[in-house]
Amino acid sequence: MSINRAEKITMGTAFAAIVSFVLLRVFHRGLYGSIPAQSYLFLHSGMELLSFALCFTMLVLGCLFYFPSFSKHQLYLAALFGAVGIFEMLHGLTAEGMPFYRMIGGAMPLSLLFTLTAQLAGAVGVLVILSRGDVPVPAGRRLPVILIGIGLASAAAAVYFQLPQHAVPLLDSERSVKMLRFAAQTVVAFAYFGALSIVLFRNRNERPQALLTIILSLAFLLLSALQFMLSAHPHDSDFLIGHAYKLAGYFFLMNGMYAMAIGEPLRQYGHSESRIHLLSNYDELTGLSNRRLLKEQLNEELKQARSSNSRLAVFLLDIDRFKTINDALGHSFGDRILQAVSDRLRLAASKANRLYRMGGDEFALLMPDVDKEGEPIEQRAKAIMGLFDAPFVLDEAEYHITISLGISFYPQDGDSVDVLLKNADTALYSAKAHRNEFSSYEPEMNRGAQDRLRLESDLRRAIDEEQFALAYQPLVNLNSGKVVGVEALVRWHHPKRGLLPPGEFIPLTEENGLILQLGEWVLGAACRQNKAWQDSGLPPMMMSVNLSMRQFRQQQLAERIKEILEQSGMPPQYLELEITESMTSDVEFAAETLSSLKELGVQISIDDFGTGYSSLVSLKRFPIDKLKIDRSFVNDLAQGGSDAAIIQTITTMAKTLKLKVTAEGVENDEQIQLLRERNCEEAQGYYYTRPIPANLFENWFRHRSQTA
């Protein structure tokens, strides 16, 4: 455990006190002496006044200054030393040579009774208080505890003043008085030693500043008690040194009380202020400046740009397909990607070019006075894009990340913070349409952004009004020529724009989360249609439905699919759920989810196989039934080359794993023949028919069955 500076100071001061005590005992013979009565009276009175002042200060710290963290130790120590202060003051006023000096026995002055009471009350009280746990106490308890402490001390003092001179005959003997004093100071020494031991043991792992000063005070008070025990005469040097140790103990105890009552709350308040400032201006995950600070600093840069008649640029950057990364690998992994991306972007940010995290996966780079550096802005944008050419290595695996970038300039693209940021965001959206590109803002881009907003609004209405329909494309067995299944594909009948293909609205539903509602509707409609075909006399066939990444990651997916199957009445063995390779990146989660789906009795296929990074090891763990070869390998199959070899490899591997294989995008006889030669079992594509509505598919199916 490391030792901080405060602990070193505490240890050094305590060590110095112990060394001073040892040296005083070693050289006691040469240092010891009796002090003249007048000199002793002056020194002793001054020390007692200081003792009273320190005790009174502790009382004030405990009863007048408190925060919400007002503690039991703080309150009781304040009350205790308020009482001790009264005894210390009366000890000084009743000492020999003072106005209230009197004897209560032949050898017992009243001042000795007051000082022994002060020492015993202080030592035993500290032991009792610190031996108990420190907990917050309500502020309403403050005044009663203080009044009880002061009241008991005042009552005891009144009783002492009423004692007659020979009330206790035992006190007439000087030897008896010395024994009484020694016994009392022995109790005091053991009490302080016990309190010190308890405090050190309870706080052996963590020692706050207030506690360190209390430890020091207990050490000095213990040395004070030992010094009083070893003194031979009330007017000797040992007695004055004991008072000096006691003053030091009261002083450090007062500091500890101050730290508890004022210092620690103020420090926590200052820490909270700093924390609030940090969170309000900086991103907690990456440590970069946030959107709020960007707006402030961009506003300042705009003022300078206006005064110097210079240009500045705002770069907005966005990680391509970051939602897919989050959905596939989890948000904690996504956070690591954000941290890695921010580290690379720091390489592009000079002192003049400041980097910010806007939120989510969006970053900003502020480039003031862009003409001063001389390098074209396009070169700087390409340099930033080039930072992501190399893959990210996380957990010994490589991940290729790309970004899209939008740029706006002052003054041509806006002269205010909000306009510049809005136009940079518009340029970013334009770049993201192609991914891994950068775009500078152009006024006509606003039309595209407005169209996107209108389309999103229309999309929400379309889900509520069920403006969607399903089209169906058959899956045909290449050996028998029979239709063995059909894939359901969603279409949108937009009231103004007509029939829209999935590519124009599915990416938008994935971004805004509407894909969950749409995907559930597609699944229910496809199951109901398949059951209707079976009821109308068509032979049972497989219904294939695509699952989106968000659907695959949602909780209780299996339970929801089970409900849809029960509501539609379709047997589960005729439902095939299609997932993509990217959904299986988190192998443990994918294996668990797929197993829960298989328990329903449905079939599972991997769509677009060959375009991801599936490994044989992970494929063996997944309870899948089919691989669907991506159309990109089928398109150029007739031209030979590597595509034919890839398809041969996939079909051979699938046969080994006892999986079926379907080829997508089949368009001509030559492709059909080559797929048969490579043992591909099923095919779908325009060769058979385009995706068609349910009624046309039923007619097509019956006609094909009659002519087959």
Side-chain angles (χ1 to χ4, degrees):
M1 182 176 62
S2 61
I3 300 177
N4 60 36
R5 183 173 178 270
E7 291 174 338
K8 290 179 180 178
I9 293 174
T10 301
M11 293 169 61
T13 306
F15 180 75
I18 294 170
V19 169
S20 69
F21 179 79
V22 172
L23 291 175
L24 286 171
R25 303 321 303 173
V26 171
F27 299 103
H28 183 263
R29 185 182 298 274
L31 297 174
Y32 178 80
S34 181
I35 301 174
Q38 288 299 110
S39 299
Y40 182 85
L41 179 63
F42 175 76
L43 294 172
H44 179 262
S45 299
M47 287 183 172
E48 289 305 327
L49 284 174
L50 286 174
S51 295
F52 170 73
L54 291 171
C55 291
F56 181 77
T57 302
M58 284 187 265
L59 174 66
V60 171
L61 286 172
C63 68
L64 296 183
F65 298 98
Y66 64 95
F67 285 77
S69 59
F70 194 68
S71 74
K72 189 176 183 180
H73 285 178
Q74 177 186 338
L75 174 61
Y76 286 3
L77 285 173
L80 172 65
F81 280 91
V84 169
I86 291 176
F87 292 128
E88 293 284 9
M89 178 182 66
L90 294 175
H91 165 62
L93 293 175
T94 57
E96 186 177 358
M98 296 298 287
F100 300 100
Y101 172 76
R102 62 186 289 259
M103 301 293 289
I104 58 172
M108 181 75 168
L110 181 59
S111 63
L112 180 59
L113 184 58
F114 277 120
T115 190
L116 291 180
T117 304
Q119 292 178 47
L120 281 169
V124 175
V126 165
L127 175 63
V128 172
I129 292 170
L130 297 183
S131 64
R132 305 194 174 228
D134 191 18
V135 294
V137 293
R141 193 185 297 182
R142 174 174 56 100
L143 189 58
V145 170
I146 295 295
L147 291 178
I148 289 172
I150 300 299
L152 290 175
S154 300
V159 171
Y160 288 173
F161 273 109
Q162 297 302 317
L163 290 174
Q165 185 169 355
H166 297 286
V168 183
L170 185 64
L171 300 180
D172 292 339
S173 167
E174 188 173 333
R175 183 172 179 274
S176 298
V177 172
K178 285 184 177 181
M179 289 180 62
L180 175 64
R181 183 168 64 85
F182 184 83
Q185 288 164 345
T186 301
V187 172
V188 170
F190 274 105
Y192 280 131
F193 180 78
L196 183 61
S197 301
I198 290 171
V199 170
L200 288 173
F201 178 77
R202 281 191 171 176
N203 300 274
R204 56 192 179 275
N205 295 324
E206 186 176 353
R207 291 175 287 276
Q209 181 66 46
L211 184 68
L212 293 174
T213 53
I214 290 176
I215 290 173
L216 264 183
S217 74
L218 293 176
F220 275 102
L221 290 171
L222 174 58
L223 294 177
S224 170
L226 294 175
Q227 190 69 21
F228 286 139
M229 288 172 59
L230 297 172
S231 65
H233 190 273
H235 290 178
D236 61 11
S237 57
D238 285 343
F239 223 74
L240 282 180
I241 293 171
H243 279 291
Y245 280 133
K246 183 182 69 173
L247 279 175
Y250 285 175
F251 174 76
F252 284 113
L253 186 59
M254 180 197 70
N255 280 345
M257 293 281 291
Y258 174 84
M260 284 192 294
I262 299 175
E264 185 64 21
L266 286 177
R267 189 192 66 80
Q268 292 179 358
Y269 178 76
H271 177 75
S272 299
E273 285 282 301
S274 299
R275 180 71 174 163
I276 292 171
H277 173 76
L278 185 68
L279 292 177
S280 63
N281 291 285
Y282 295 91
D283 174 57
E284 191 171 15
L285 178 65
T286 62
L288 298 176
S289 304
N290 61 15
R291 178 189 289 270
R292 180 177 179 275
L293 201 55
L294 166 64
K295 288 188 173 183
E296 289 182 4
Q297 294 178 347
L298 177 54
N299 190 53
E300 292 299 318
E301 293 295 343
L302 282 173
K303 292 179 182 177
Q304 293 187 21
R306 292 188 190 102
S307 62
S308 61
N309 197 27
S310 60
R311 290 199 313 155
L312 65 81
V314 176
F315 282 25
L316 281 188
L317 310 94
D318 192 279
I319 302 174
D320 294 331
R321 304 183 69 229
F322 183 71
K323 288 184 174 61
T324 301
I325 296 173
N326 258 346
D327 292 339
L329 302 176
H331 288 275
S332 60
F333 187 86
D335 287 345
R336 294 174 63 191
I337 289 290
L338 289 171
Q339 290 170 332
V341 167
S342 67
D343 288 341
R344 287 209 185 167
L345 289 175
R346 282 187 176 95
L347 299 176
S350 63
K351 291 183 179 180
N353 305 331
R354 292 185 289 273
L355 180 64
Y356 309 81
R357 183 186 176 200
M358 302 290 285
D361 61 321
E362 193 171 85
F363 298 84
L365 193 63
L366 180 57
M367 293 189 174
D369 202 1
V370 292
D371 298 321
K372 184 177 180 180
E373 297 183 20
E375 183 182 12
I377 205 70
E378 291 78 9
Q379 291 298 113
R380 292 186 228 177
K382 289 178 181 178
I384 293 173
M385 307 288 288
L387 293 173
F388 297 87
D389 290 342
F392 290 86
V393 180
L394 298 173
D395 296 332
E396 299 182 357
E398 292 187 351
Y399 298 90
H400 291 269
I401 303 294
T402 60
I403 64 168
S404 298
L405 193 155
I407 310 170
S408 66
F409 296 92
Y410 168 81
Q412 62 262 43
D413 298 330
D415 61 355
S416 69
V417 170
D418 291 337
V419 172
L420 283 172
L421 290 177
K422 180 182 76 69
N423 289 341
D425 190 58
T426 301
L428 173 62
Y429 176 73
S430 176
K432 284 186 71 68
H434 306 284
R435 303 191 190 279
N436 195 25
E437 287 191 4
F438 69 90
S439 295
S440 296
Y441 172 75
E442 298 291 342
E444 54 267 22
M445 290 179 178
N446 281 327
R447 189 178 305 133
Q450 292 169 1
D451 288 345
R452 179 176 181 269
L453 289 175
R454 280 195 294 268
L455 186 64
E456 182 172 356
S457 177
D458 293 345
L459 190 56
R460 294 180 184 277
R461 188 183 304 109
I463 290 178
D464 294 336
E465 298 176 0
E466 293 191 4
Q467 296 175 4
F468 298 96
L470 294 181
Y472 300 91
Q473 190 171 43
L475 282 75
V476 178
N477 185 287
L478 289 175
N479 294 321
S480 65
K482 293 183 177 180
V483 177
V484 294
V486 62
E487 180 176 0
L489 302 167
V490 67
R491 300 291 186 265
W492 180 11
H493 289 283
H494 193 281
K496 294 181 179 179
R497 300 172 60 175
L499 187 66
L500 298 180
E504 292 193 25
F505 61 89
I506 289 296
L508 188 57
T509 63
E510 291 176 343
E511 287 183 22
N512 57 29
L514 294 174
I515 189 66
L516 292 176
Q517 295 173 258
L518 180 58
E520 191 166 304
W521 179 86
V522 169
L523 188 60
C527 290
R528 289 191 296 271
Q529 182 61 64
N530 199 21
K531 182 65 168 63
W533 281 335
Q534 293 178 19
D535 294 343
S536 67
L538 265 65
M541 67 182 74
M542 191 68 66
M543 174 64 72
S544 295
V545 179
N546 290 280
L547 287 182
S548 70
M549 178 71 77
R550 283 179 177 262
Q551 282 180 283
F552 190 67
R553 299 289 300 190
Q554 71 177 326
Q555 295 182 349
Q556 299 180 330
L557 174 62
E559 289 82 353
R560 186 62 193 130
I561 292 177
K562 181 180 179 181
E563 290 178 10
I564 291 173
L565 287 169
E566 290 174 349
Q567 291 170 3
S568 66
M570 190 185 83
Q573 63 267 28
Y574 296 118
L575 174 62
E576 180 179 83
L577 299 174
E578 296 187 11
I579 64 172
T580 60
E581 287 183 87
S582 60
M583 297 184 193
T584 64
S585 300
D586 187 342
V587 176
E588 296 297 331
F589 174 82
E592 181 180 351
T593 303
L594 292 175
S595 296
S596 66
L597 294 175
K598 282 297 292 182
E599 290 176 0
L600 300 177
V602 303
Q603 302 289 297
I604 297 173
S605 66
I606 295 185
D607 195 17
D608 300 333
F609 187 78
T611 59
Y613 302 98
S614 295
S615 66
L616 287 175
V617 175
S618 60
L619 282 178
K620 286 174 61 178
R621 292 192 57 186
F622 300 147
I624 57 177
D625 304 283
K626 183 190 294 184
L627 302 178
K628 298 188 74 172
I629 300 175
D630 187 69
R631 65 181 67 250
S632 61
F633 299 110
V634 177
N635 289 341
D636 299 326
L637 183 61
Q639 301 177 13
S642 60
D643 288 341
I646 291 173
I647 291 177
Q648 182 67 63
T649 300
I650 293 174
T651 54
T652 302
M653 177 190 67
K655 187 175 182 180
T656 303
L657 297 175
K658 298 180 180 179
L659 303 176
K660 293 181 180 179
V661 179
T662 298
E664 299 179 294
V666 178
E667 296 184 356
N668 54 58
D669 287 317
E670 191 174 3
Q671 290 172 342
I672 292 289
Q673 182 60 36
L674 290 171
L675 288 170
R676 286 195 182 114
E677 292 174 359
R678 285 157 181 77
N679 299 314
C680 185
E681 297 170 90
E682 298 173 358
Q684 72 178 94
Y686 289 177
Y687 178 79
Y688 300 107
T689 180
R690 291 176 177 271
I692 51 179
N695 59 335
L696 296 181
F697 175 83
E698 185 174 351
N699 294 335
W700 176 89
F701 180 87
R702 294 184 186 281
H703 176 74
R704 180 181 175 86
S705 300
Q706 293 172 358
T707 57

